[in-house]
Amino acid sequence: MTSYIPSDVCSTQIDFDLDESGAVHNVMFTRGCAGNAEGIARLAEGRSADELIELLKGIPCGTRDTSCPDQLAQALESELAARS
C-alpha cells in the first residue's frame, strides 16, 4: 500500500496499491468529498496507472489548479518514478 499526502485539496491522504503490471487497486481517499472519492476509487480499480494519469492529470476543482483526481495522478506518477 502506498500512501500519498495531497496538497491544496480537501483530502488529507490518498492510499492505493500498484501491482507489478502497473494496475491500480484499493484506492482510498481520507476526507474530502465522499461520493466523488468513492466514484474515483471505483473507476480507478484495475486500470493502469498510465491510463489514469492521462485521464486525471490537470483536472481543477473550482478555483484551485488541482483536485483529488489530479492529486491521484500526481501520486501515481510519483510512485512510478520511484519504481524506475
Side-chain angles (χ1 to χ4, degrees):
M1 179 74 62
T2 298
S3 294
Y4 180 82
I5 304 301
S7 60
D8 202 27
V9 294
C10 300
S11 294
T12 57
Q13 185 168 312
I14 304 171
D15 299 304
F16 59 91
D17 290 320
L18 186 61
D19 70 21
E20 58 280 343
S21 72
V24 176
H25 302 281
N26 306 314
V27 175
M28 293 179 289
F29 289 83
T30 303
R31 299 187 50 105
C33 303
N36 289 337
E38 185 175 340
I40 295 164
R42 287 186 187 189
L43 291 169
E45 183 63 30
R47 288 188 184 223
S48 76
D50 290 330
E51 178 184 12
L52 289 169
I53 292 165
E54 184 178 327
L55 288 169
L56 303 175
K57 190 170 181 177
I59 295 175
C61 183
T63 59
R64 297 177 184 168
D65 291 335
T66 190
S67 63
C68 290
D70 179 61
Q71 289 292 299
L72 175 57
Q74 291 183 42
L76 294 169
E77 282 183 321
S78 177
E79 181 62 19
L80 289 174
R83 291 183 178 200
S84 14

